[in-house]
Amino acid sequence: MRELPNCSIATLQRLVTPNDKPQHILRNIFICRSKTIKVDCIKKENLAMFNLFRKKMYQKWCSPRVPHLLVVGYPKVGNTWFGVMLRRMLVSAYGIPEKQWSFALDADVQKQHEVPRVQMTHTMPKFNTQSASQLDVRTGLAKNSRLIFLMRDPRDTLVSLYFDKSFRSQRFCGSLDAMIRDPVYGVEKLLKFYCAWDAAWCESDDQIMVRYEALHQNPLSMMKNTWAFARLAQLSSDQLQEAIAFGRFDNMRRIEVDCQIQQGWLRKKEDVTRAEGLKTRCGRIGQYAEYMEPATLQYVESCLDALPERFKVVAQASSEFSLFDHRCAV
């Protein structure tokens, strides 16, 4: 889908006729603000003009803006939890309406409220289909942006990913041990992601790493430092506290189970009946020790020896609650 300005509608109508059946058929969908135009038939004599028009409009309206702030994290490293708090902080800092909090990272909402572009991404658009050997990691997105890199103990990441793909999205059928060795979801792919980002680490304007475990232990200090790094509008201590409270595990579980938002990133799947299939599954650190067989854990840790030094983590003791009694989302 491509977004076009309102003035483009008349031009499209002059070029398109739904009644003719010309030799050249061009199928496309255009979004003109709130209106959607499905383009099926282009007048034969207008095809060249239409293609030129489409190219110019795409360059003007659809070329991605370089993000002021780029937040990157491998799946299941705490992206949802961090994203909820970040959205709430943007709402407070830029006056985004309360009812639009879940859309605070959408480009259109940010443009409307004059928010410097803030983007969250895994940088792997084909994560669910590409194997480790095929993986396309788009590190170039960080060029000329400030980079927040989310990091979590890879052992916990793999366990959380297993539950997500097995019970929530139901894309994987098999044991945890089988998934860890799987070319699409296993440890080899995780390593390739981190190696790619290690090579591209200095391409951004500046970088900061936010570790899941540290965020779990002291969310206020971590989010305060992260917001200062982002160089966005000022936030009061009360506003920061509100964002952190909003991101509490029990509140996020309530948002998910009650389907309070429409977006799939924090909305309960209709066919999910078990807690294992929830986005907010358990919220604990060190869970890998409960689920990995000794031989599987030994294999994972031997693979993680190849992890770039900057991404290595100190083994964390299993803990259900942080020092702040703040249970975190997974």
Side-chain angles (χ1 to χ4, degrees):
M1 292 188 179
R2 297 186 172 96
E3 182 183 346
L4 303 175
N6 285 331
C7 61
S8 305
I9 297 177
T11 308
L12 280 173
Q13 290 173 341
R14 288 198 303 270
L15 298 177
V16 178
T17 169
N19 299 319
D20 295 345
K21 293 183 179 180
Q23 179 182 356
H24 298 283
I25 303 296
L26 181 61
R27 298 188 178 276
N28 220 320
I29 295 177
F30 289 84
I31 301 176
C32 301
R33 297 303 181 210
S34 60
K35 297 182 180 180
T36 299
I37 296 179
K38 184 176 180 181
V39 179
D40 285 323
C41 303
I42 307 299
K43 293 179 181 178
K44 185 177 179 180
E45 62 272 20
N46 289 331
L47 184 60
M49 185 187 302
F50 179 86
N51 286 333
L52 179 61
F53 168 80
R54 182 180 63 171
K55 181 179 179 180
K56 287 183 177 180
M57 287 300 98
Y58 181 80
Q59 291 174 344
K60 182 176 181 179
W61 293 94
C62 303
S63 297
R65 286 191 292 161
V66 174
H68 166 77
L69 181 70
L70 183 70
V71 183
V72 174
Y74 196 79
K76 310 310 296 179
V77 299
N79 301 284
T80 302
W81 179 35
F82 186 88
V84 165
M85 292 188 289
L86 179 59
R87 286 175 174 88
R88 296 296 299 185
M89 292 158 76
L90 290 172
V91 164
S92 298
Y94 291 94
I96 298 173
E98 180 72 21
K99 63 181 180 180
Q100 287 188 297
W101 77 265
S102 62
F103 295 94
L105 290 178
D106 289 11
D108 288 344
V109 173
Q110 292 180 4
K111 188 175 182 179
Q112 179 183 354
H113 294 279
E114 299 182 349
V115 182
R117 183 74 179 103
V118 179
Q119 182 179 355
M120 283 193 72
T121 175
H122 300 317
T123 64
M124 297 175 290
K126 298 181 180 180
F127 177 80
N128 289 304
T129 58
Q130 290 182 330
S131 66
S133 61
Q134 301 167 328
L135 185 61
D136 174 24
V137 185
R138 299 189 177 178
T139 57
L141 290 173
K143 191 173 183 180
N144 300 322
S145 300
R146 302 181 70 76
L147 174 66
I148 294 177
F149 197 90
L150 305 180
M151 184 67 198
R152 183 185 189 181
D153 188 323
R155 297 167 296 186
D156 276 341
T157 300
L158 289 168
V159 170
S160 188
L161 185 65
Y162 168 73
F163 280 102
D164 183 80
K165 298 305 176 184
S166 298
F167 296 95
R168 188 169 189 269
S169 65
Q170 299 177 12
R171 292 177 177 271
F172 182 82
C173 181
S175 65
L176 172 61
D177 182 77
M179 193 211 74
I180 284 172
R181 290 169 166 80
D182 184 74
V184 175
Y185 296 121
V187 65
E188 184 183 355
K189 192 172 194 175
L190 179 145
L191 285 172
K192 186 165 184 179
F193 171 84
Y194 285 114
C195 287
W197 273 104
D198 184 61
W201 188 250
C202 294
E203 290 184 4
S204 56
D205 284 349
D206 202 358
Q207 315 84 19
I208 187 174
M209 190 179 301
V210 177
R211 295 192 180 275
Y212 182 91
E213 294 78 14
L215 189 59
H216 183 69
Q217 292 177 348
N218 195 337
L220 178 60
S221 176
M222 290 297 296
M223 293 307 292
K224 182 178 180 180
N225 293 340
T226 301
W227 188 258
F229 168 83
R231 295 183 181 176
L232 295 167
Q234 291 187 348
L235 278 179
S236 68
S237 178
D238 288 343
Q239 290 171 325
L240 278 169
Q241 290 276 18
E242 188 278 332
I244 292 167
F246 192 83
R248 288 182 62 90
F249 183 90
D250 55 356
N251 188 55
M252 288 181 57
R253 169 67 67 87
R254 185 162 47 247
I255 292 171
E256 179 180 11
V257 172
D258 294 344
C259 298
Q260 295 181 18
I261 64 174
Q262 296 301 313
Q263 299 99 312
W265 56 267
L266 190 56
R267 183 178 174 85
K268 181 177 176 289
K269 300 282 187 179
E270 292 182 359
D271 56 347
V272 168
T273 58
R274 302 168 54 182
E276 289 88 345
L278 294 175
K279 195 82 168 181
T280 50
R281 182 177 58 85
C282 72
R284 291 191 294 128
I285 294 172
Q287 58 179 319
Y288 69 88
E290 302 174 26
Y291 294 103
M292 286 188 186
E293 296 292 336
T296 302
L297 179 58
Q298 184 178 8
Y299 169 74
V300 170
E301 292 181 340
S302 66
C303 292
L304 293 178
D305 286 340
L307 196 70
E309 198 65 34
R310 76 173 80 249
F311 299 125
K312 289 184 177 179
V313 297
V314 178
Q316 301 287 329
S318 180
S319 173
E320 183 173 2
F321 295 96
S322 72
L323 299 175
F324 291 78
D325 193 29
H326 186 101
R327 201 175 183 190
C328 60
V330 295

